[in-house]
Amino acid sequence: MTTTKFDKRDFRTALGQFPTGVTVITTVDDNGAPIGCTASSFNSVSIDPALVLWSIDKGAFSKSIFANAEYFAINVLSENQVETSNKFAGRGEDKFKDVSFTEGLGGAPLLEGCGAQFECKTWNVYEGGDHLIIVGEVLKYNHDDSLTPLAFSRGSYAITSTHPSGNVQKNQAETGNEFLDNYLLYLLNSAISKYRQDLYPKLIDGCDVTPEQWRVVTILSNTPVHTLKTLSILAMQPLEDLSESVDSLKDKGALANVDDKLVLTDSGMALQKSLLAVAAQHEELMLGNLKPEQTEVLKTALKSIIEIDN
């Protein structure tokens, strides 16, 4: 879709097509109390000198603290830190309660379990519309390559995985590598890419619903009432982005508030039935070459893998 109209919600949706990592930026206030906020705006600026940047909303409570801080730390979250991201994205709570951390340069908290951390001295602060752009000089850093980064894409949390190259587009799985062609992770990634490639256009073009909105509708159809915070956890969407998905569904007449909770309207239930029919038809097509007993074995095996307790 091409548009020149700058609708804020639609603009954010367009920006969501660019996947990013997820970070928690930390520092301390004038009293030495730890301060932190979730940000996906982190990016590199320069290798020599080692400079990075991130941006903070001018309406954020901690804006002035970060703008005047001498030191700050960037904690790059790993895939098992969704709860940490949600905690530091919220307001009005003790964000560091039950969070393990050590002190870095200038006392800036270094959170445990992160994929990488950059300890920075503030280089400069620039105006950037409704945000401040904070550039830092990296003085120390560390990283754990054994951890998978937490990603953010299209308004939802995601994880990174190696792309199955051009095999999906070529509609074939063989690479000529005996190990890779029979390696479970490669096969799963290839299958997921193919599955999404065929399903998502059917949802968006056929039902005018994004995959993220589909997830919300599906959750609410099974358990009709949720608070927004609970729904955020189940839908794997940060509160701010979930609110946009919810508002869009309200505009379609699919959702309504009842006693400060969300329920599907009659229109929403009808939409979910349509989405369910599309998903079921797509699954039948994708599994068309399998016998019913093979399909059952496949799903049972995948469930068993998911339930493995590491």
Side-chain angles (χ1 to χ4, degrees):
M1 180 175 69
T2 301
T3 179
T4 56
K5 181 181 178 181
F6 271 79
D7 175 85
K8 290 183 180 179
R9 187 190 303 167
D10 190 59
F11 183 51
R12 281 178 59 88
T13 299
L15 292 173
Q17 290 295 110
F18 181 69
T20 67
V22 184
T23 69
V24 170
I25 316 294
T26 56
T27 190
V28 291
D29 64 16
D30 291 339
N31 297 317
I35 301 293
C37 67
T38 300
S40 58
S41 56
F42 166 65
N43 212 331
S44 62
V45 175
S46 168
I47 300 298
D48 186 15
L51 300 178
V52 296
L53 67 76
W54 69 288
S55 61
I56 184 170
D57 193 317
K58 288 182 178 178
F61 167 78
S62 56
K63 180 261 296 182
S64 296
I65 297 174
F66 278 108
N68 294 295
E70 184 177 4
Y71 296 96
F72 64 89
I74 297 169
N75 299 270
V76 179
L77 301 188
S78 57
E79 65 175 328
N80 60 349
Q81 293 182 301
V82 169
E83 184 178 349
T84 300
S85 175
N86 284 334
K87 176 180 291 236
F88 282 91
R91 297 187 180 187
E93 59 179 307
D94 182 2
K95 297 180 180 181
F96 285 89
K97 182 180 179 180
D98 300 324
V99 174
S100 298
F101 65 90
T102 58
E103 291 187 1
L105 295 176
L110 300 175
L111 309 184
E112 289 189 3
C114 293
Q117 291 169 318
F118 302 90
E119 300 180 58
C120 306
K121 183 174 184 179
T122 300
W123 175 277
N124 214 331
V125 179
Y126 301 95
E127 287 286 332
D130 55 11
H131 280 61
L132 290 178
I133 302 169
I134 300 177
V135 178
E137 180 182 11
V138 179
L139 302 181
K140 295 177 65 177
Y141 71 93
N142 68 78
H143 57 98
D144 185 343
D145 295 341
S146 70
L147 298 175
T148 300
L150 179 64
F152 187 74
S153 176
R154 299 180 62 164
S156 296
Y157 292 114
I159 58 174
T160 60
S161 61
T162 303
H163 194 280
S165 302
N167 294 317
V168 173
Q169 282 69 36
K170 295 175 183 177
N171 202 28
Q172 62 184 27
E174 292 78 11
T175 66
N177 183 303
E178 183 177 355
F179 172 79
L180 199 59
D181 288 341
N182 290 283
Y183 185 52
L184 180 60
L185 181 59
Y186 178 82
L187 294 173
L188 288 173
N189 280 338
S190 297
I192 290 172
S193 294
K194 179 64 176 177
Y195 208 96
R196 289 173 173 169
Q197 176 184 298
D198 292 341
L199 175 61
Y200 285 3
K202 291 181 172 66
L203 296 175
I204 297 170
D205 297 334
C207 302
D208 191 28
V209 169
T210 67
E212 293 70 40
Q213 292 168 355
W214 177 41
R215 190 178 305 137
V216 170
V217 171
T218 301
I219 291 170
L220 291 175
S221 68
N222 291 330
T223 309
V225 180
H226 283 291
T227 63
L228 201 60
K229 186 173 183 179
T230 301
L231 185 58
S232 170
I233 296 171
L234 294 172
M236 291 290 286
Q237 295 185 43
L239 275 172
E240 184 177 359
D241 296 272
L242 174 68
S243 296
E244 294 193 3
S245 294
V246 167
D247 288 343
S248 294
L249 288 167
K250 285 182 178 179
D251 291 344
K252 299 177 190 294
L255 294 184
N257 284 99
V258 177
D259 297 329
D260 295 327
K261 296 181 180 179
L262 287 169
V263 297
L264 288 179
T265 63
D266 291 341
S267 176
M269 292 300 294
L271 174 62
Q272 169 57 9
K273 288 181 179 179
S274 298
L275 293 168
L276 185 61
V278 169
Q281 184 180 34
H282 176 259
E283 180 178 271
E284 183 178 354
L285 176 65
M286 294 297 292
L287 301 177
N289 291 330
L290 300 182
K291 296 178 181 179
E293 56 268 27
Q294 290 177 310
T295 297
E296 184 63 28
V297 168
L298 172 62
K299 292 184 177 181
T300 300
L302 292 174
K303 290 176 183 178
S304 296
I305 292 175
I306 293 169
E307 291 170 358
I308 292 175
D309 185 3
N310 293 327

